[in-house]
Amino acid sequence: MTATLRTVAETSPSQHDTALSDPGFADVSESDWEAAAEGALRGEPLSSLHSTLLDGIETAPLYTAHRHGTEADPSGLPGSAPFTRGAAAASGALGWEVRQIHDVRLAGTPDAVAVDTTSGVDAVTVARGWDADGDAVALAAGIGDAAGAGVPIHLQSGASPVHAAALLDVFDRHGVELADLRSWLGLDPIAAAASGWHWANPGDCATLDSSMCSAARSAAEIAQRSPGAVPLEADGSVFTDAGASDATELAAMLATGVAWLRALCDDADGPGFNADAAARLLGFTLSAGPDAFLVTAKCRALRMCWTQVLGTCGVDGASGEAPPMWLHAVTATAMLSAVDPWVNMLRATTATFGAANGGVDAITVRPFDAVSAGQASSSLGWRVAANTQLILRHESRIGSVIDPAGGSWYLEDLTRKLAHAAWDRFGEIEAAGGICAAMASGDLEASIAAERALRDEQIAAGQHVLVGVTDFVDSQAAQDSGASVSAGEPAGTPTVGLGVHRWAAPYETGTNDEAVTGDAGS
């Protein structure tokens, strides 16, 4: 080995160039590859290597420059419209914001928050289910010290103006300058209705519209006091956890965003903002599943589509001045398993990796034991959830690269196809009268149910593998997990809405699909 290294070191640069330009490999055409592949398939057609996603998007086994090149790609540059390649032209020093969700109603929350905020977690999100009046003392005790220390405190999507006011009161009592506030306040009646938590019944379009307008007025008031806060949210993860495909999730987020623009800009009793100012009050939350490539493509496709929406509303993005999208990713509840829950750590890692590569601004990872432990996930579960992000951010330095998917023929093609599928689905929702009308009519719920059934069929047919559940099953782990799953529903678990439908649930015994709806939703 030493002699070989010495020989290489003594070789002249020109000799290196010759060796690199002529590596000795024969030229191979695409047709040559196809012939070799067909021979290896032993009679199966080459089309058998293609796969179809839940949205009908077909993926190929080989991507080439002449078929999938990006010469005419409209994705632009990072930090420029349509923001496909990211909202910023340079990576931040720390990448994305690491968030952790806590339930202020639990006795150990103050200690858990203190541990998190001194161990690398950047922000704390207050979980759903607390009463703004009855749990005011618990809220102040749970997050007060962190708020006073300047830690960003967020509310989960579906919060009401009363919840937002309670949080702002905690900040005020701890002497926090509201003008410097960077919190997400989670006002999202659509997510609240879809998840069944509060506000309006999803079947009551008029009340849902009214809730949107009321929240829009509250957001305008909050913006006056806290211009850095993000009061409104469009949460797609509640739809994914109910069984929606990726395109339907993106479409629901776009439709919710448009509903917010209407409430902020067009409603007679609204604040009368222009589209540019309105868009800056809005944050988006999407779900991150176990397919890292698909998660990355979702983030990129959503930014592309939202820029198109803003352009239609008169916000000129041609010069790169369109407001970038505030984007938060949360690991999907639907992918969690109660059987062999340790595998959930791996699912969360790939989901986080995909979201970080997609250029999100913040990530929330659910604890691996959220199904069995529910709201009171173990300290190990919370610590692993945080460390999953911290290792990828600090040790793997995933956030140091801007748009690593840029130029990848597969991911560029997947981004475009997913954006088109989401846009078509978004058009259907708008044609039905918007997101509120689509929910009230039951059309959206029916579509999600059909997509959920198709996914179940794919899992049953072995086209979609759940490691540790449908394949490579540890019988002892299955027995132990089945016995440990929470048998009862946590306090405040919704009885209406789209619900949570985990992919593994049909293969588990004694499990409770609703056990995680209140702990770490979106």
Side-chain angles (χ1 to χ4, degrees):
M1 178 65 73
T2 302
T4 301
L5 291 174
R6 185 181 302 113
T7 301
V8 172
E10 294 171 352
T11 305
S12 67
S14 61
Q15 289 175 299
H16 278 309
D17 293 343
T18 301
L20 291 174
S21 61
D22 183 17
F25 295 119
D27 291 334
V28 178
S29 67
E30 188 173 342
S31 60
D32 293 331
W33 179 88
E34 290 178 351
E38 287 179 347
L41 290 173
R42 300 179 181 179
E44 292 292 328
L46 192 60
S47 59
S48 65
L49 295 178
H50 290 247
S51 60
T52 303
L53 303 180
L54 202 62
D55 292 300
I57 296 172
E58 187 175 272
T59 61
L62 180 67
Y63 287 77
T64 61
H66 79 273
R67 288 186 181 181
H68 309 96
T70 59
E71 291 82 359
D73 192 349
S75 59
L77 297 173
S80 300
F83 300 102
T84 308
R85 303 194 60 194
S91 63
L94 295 177
W96 64 94
E97 179 183 74
V98 176
R99 296 184 184 180
Q100 193 93 292
I101 294 182
H102 287 285
D103 189 338
V104 296
R105 298 169 298 176
L106 300 179
T109 294
D111 292 337
V113 169
V115 169
D116 277 345
T117 54
T118 56
S119 304
V121 172
D122 301 318
V124 174
T125 300
V126 180
R128 295 188 188 104
W130 58 284
D131 177 74
D133 295 321
D135 295 319
V137 173
L139 176 69
I143 53 92
D145 290 343
V151 175
I153 306 295
H154 307 301
L155 297 182
Q156 261 188 300
S157 68
S160 71
V162 180
H163 290 95
L167 178 60
L168 293 177
D169 182 62
V170 172
F171 280 119
D172 190 52
R173 284 190 281 119
H174 280 80
V176 177
E177 287 290 339
L178 297 185
D180 300 328
L181 201 63
R182 296 181 292 116
S183 293
W184 287 39
L185 302 180
L187 301 182
D188 186 357
I190 299 295
S195 60
W197 277 105
H198 40 242
W199 289 48
N201 186 312
D204 187 345
C205 184
T207 304
L208 196 51
D209 278 327
S210 177
S211 297
M212 295 287 285
C213 293
S214 174
R217 291 191 294 271
S218 295
E221 295 172 1
I222 291 169
Q224 291 292 323
R225 302 169 60 193
S226 306
V230 180
L232 305 177
E233 192 161 357
D235 182 3
S237 69
V238 294
F239 298 98
T240 291
D241 286 337
S245 67
D246 294 292
T248 296
E249 178 192 6
L250 296 183
M253 296 170 72
L254 293 170
T256 301
V258 168
W260 280 128
L261 294 180
R262 291 192 179 109
L264 289 164
C265 305
D266 299 336
D267 184 72
D269 297 324
F273 285 5
N274 60 42
D276 186 288
R280 296 178 188 276
L281 303 182
L282 178 59
F284 290 81
T285 292
L286 58 71
S287 65
D291 185 332
F293 295 124
L294 192 54
V295 173
T296 298
K298 279 173 62 175
C299 299
R300 301 171 91 244
L302 180 59
R303 284 194 296 266
M304 180 189 296
C305 290
W306 183 241
T307 302
Q308 180 68 29
V309 168
L310 293 181
T312 303
C313 295
V315 181
D316 181 18
S319 61
E321 296 179 354
M325 172 181 290
W326 305 113
L327 186 54
H328 164 232
V330 59
T331 56
T333 297
M335 72 177 179
L336 297 179
S337 64
V339 172
D340 204 357
W342 310 103
V343 183
N344 292 330
M345 296 183 189
L346 305 179
R347 298 182 179 112
T349 301
T350 54
T352 304
F353 176 79
N357 284 339
V360 300
D361 301 293
I363 300 176
T364 299
V365 174
R366 291 190 174 97
F368 74 91
D369 58 353
V371 175
S372 55
Q375 293 165 294
S377 292
S378 68
S379 58
L380 175 63
W382 291 116
R383 194 70 208 129
V384 169
N387 282 346
T388 298
Q389 296 198 57
L390 296 176
I391 289 172
L392 288 174
R393 191 175 76 170
H394 293 287
E395 296 190 20
S396 299
R397 300 184 63 81
I398 299 300
S400 299
V401 180
I402 294 294
D403 189 35
S408 163
W409 298 324
Y410 167 60
L411 275 165
E412 295 287 9
D413 184 69
L414 182 58
T415 297
R416 287 192 294 268
K417 288 180 177 178
L418 188 55
H420 284 294
W423 192 263
D424 290 343
R425 187 74 184 91
F426 163 60
E428 294 172 1
I429 295 174
E430 286 297 291
I435 185 72
C436 294
M439 290 178 62
S441 68
D443 290 344
L444 184 58
E445 183 175 3
S447 295
I448 292 174
E451 292 164 353
R452 182 171 66 242
L454 178 58
R455 180 186 285 107
D456 290 343
E457 291 175 6
Q458 292 177 348
I459 294 173
Q463 299 169 1
H464 186 159
V465 173
L466 302 179
V467 173
V469 179
T470 62
D471 289 73
F472 315 107
V473 179
D474 181 339
S475 58
Q476 184 59 48
Q479 180 179 346
D480 294 343
S481 298
S484 65
V485 172
S486 173
E489 297 181 355
T493 297
T495 57
V496 296
L498 301 178
V500 175
H501 300 269
R502 293 184 301 104
W503 308 337
Y507 304 90
E508 299 168 346
T509 58
T511 60
N512 172 22
D513 280 350
E514 302 296 339
V516 292
T517 57
D519 73 315
S522 34

